[in-house]
Amino acid sequence: MAQRTARSRRLGTFRALLARHSGPDAAFGRRLVLAVTATAAVAVPFALALVLVESRWPPLYRLDRATAERLHRTALEHPARVRVLDFFTGVVWDPVTLRLLVAALVVWLLTRRAWRLATWAAVTATSGALIGFLVKNVVERARPHLPEPVAHAPGFSFPSGHAMTATTSCAVLLLVLLPLVPRAWRPLPWALAATAVLGVGYTRVALGVHWVSDVVGGWLLGVAVVTATTLAFEAWRADAGRPRAAVSEGLEPEISSDADPEGTSRGAAVAPSDHVT
């Protein structure tokens, strides 16, 4: 009898532990560990770039210097091209322009009552700007000094604020608006985003206001910020019982059809107690 009682107690303890490790707390813990691991993995390339920049790694230094000098010679030989590059980097892909687009998107989301999606977009853009500014002032890397410069820019060099803003802003616009684009047309916004991100990086180096490594660092840090905020948003979706959304479907596919994207879907099932009998 005593052995049976002890066995029952051990079985009850095992079941309690199993329930504890399979409940909502355990699910949250697993998501948290996954989010931290994924963010850290994405941040590693930026950390490596930062170390190489700070240590003035000779191969990277030679690459930066050679690319800057070659593009500078081209700029001096083609002043018309400089005006085109300056227009794109100073107007079309300027951080102010991109942030205004994100701000307009946030306002639109608020009118759609997509509160959390609007918060995600605003936090991603704002945190990206603040983190980039802080890293610039910690690293304090000087911008290129070239003879007969064709352009000037204030502040420090690493990472490129233009490149980072283009990365975070294009990611926000893509992940929010993709569900509104027909599937056959979705390669187009991806191509436009890639053109903006790569194009703004080229203009900054070609105008002699950034090193190549500055631009790459801006891209990498932007991707790290977007990854961190996106994982946080995905955790909310999981807690709300919504399915995981693929990147190709956008961050919240329901935005394309819901009158209240974060409330009850128009096509959602009605609870039994709400049925009219």
Side-chain angles (χ1 to χ4, degrees):
M1 185 70 178
Q3 291 179 349
R4 186 180 303 171
T5 302
R7 189 182 307 124
S8 299
R9 287 177 179 173
R10 288 196 296 270
L11 184 59
T13 302
F14 175 75
R15 286 174 177 172
L17 289 173
L18 185 62
R20 187 181 305 166
H21 287 287
S22 60
D25 290 340
F28 173 75
R30 287 192 295 270
R31 289 199 302 271
L32 185 61
V33 170
L34 178 62
V36 171
T37 302
T39 304
V42 174
V44 165
F46 171 76
L48 177 60
L50 177 58
V51 169
L52 295 178
V53 166
E54 285 284 76
S55 63
R56 294 176 65 89
W57 189 48
L60 182 61
Y61 178 81
R62 289 194 295 268
L63 172 65
D64 279 340
R65 176 62 62 179
T67 304
E69 291 175 351
R70 183 174 65 254
L71 290 178
H72 184 61
R73 287 194 299 268
T74 302
L76 291 175
E77 295 169 358
H78 301 88
R81 180 181 300 179
V82 171
R83 289 192 292 271
V84 172
L85 295 176
D86 191 60
F87 171 76
F88 275 99
T89 196
V91 178
V92 180
W93 296 324
D94 185 75
V96 174
T97 302
L98 295 175
R99 287 168 187 156
L100 285 175
L101 288 175
V102 173
L105 177 69
V106 170
V107 172
W108 177 75
L109 289 172
L110 292 175
T111 63
R112 296 271 298 179
R113 303 176 63 84
W115 313 116
R116 290 182 178 85
L117 195 57
T119 301
W120 171 82
V123 168
T124 301
T126 304
S127 60
L130 291 176
I131 291 171
F133 176 78
L134 290 174
V135 174
K136 270 180 179 287
N137 285 273
V138 169
V139 177
E140 294 186 341
R141 189 187 196 188
R143 293 181 183 271
H145 292 284
L146 300 167
E148 301 180 54
V150 298
H152 299 275
F156 297 113
S157 191
F158 182 91
S160 166
H162 277 68
M164 186 173 178
T165 302
T167 302
T168 54
S169 299
C170 289
V172 167
L173 294 169
L174 263 179
L175 292 176
V176 171
L177 297 177
L178 266 180
L180 304 177
V181 180
R183 290 182 182 276
W185 288 91
R186 287 184 183 176
L188 179 59
W190 280 103
L192 292 174
T195 300
V197 171
L198 296 174
V200 75
Y202 174 77
T203 62
R204 304 309 286 168
V205 179
L207 291 173
V209 294
H210 275 296
W211 306 106
V212 171
S213 53
D214 297 336
V215 170
V216 174
W219 290 338
L220 294 175
L221 188 55
V223 169
V225 169
V226 172
T227 299
T229 59
T230 299
L231 288 172
F233 190 86
E234 287 292 340
W236 167 77
R237 282 183 63 86
D239 290 337
R242 294 196 169 189
R244 186 181 182 87
V247 175
S248 59
E249 298 297 323
L251 198 59
E252 189 163 279
E254 297 85 358
I255 194 70
S256 63
S257 59
D258 289 356
D260 184 0
E262 292 171 9
T264 302
S265 303
R266 288 200 298 258
V270 181
S273 59
D274 293 332
H275 281 295
V276 178
T277 56

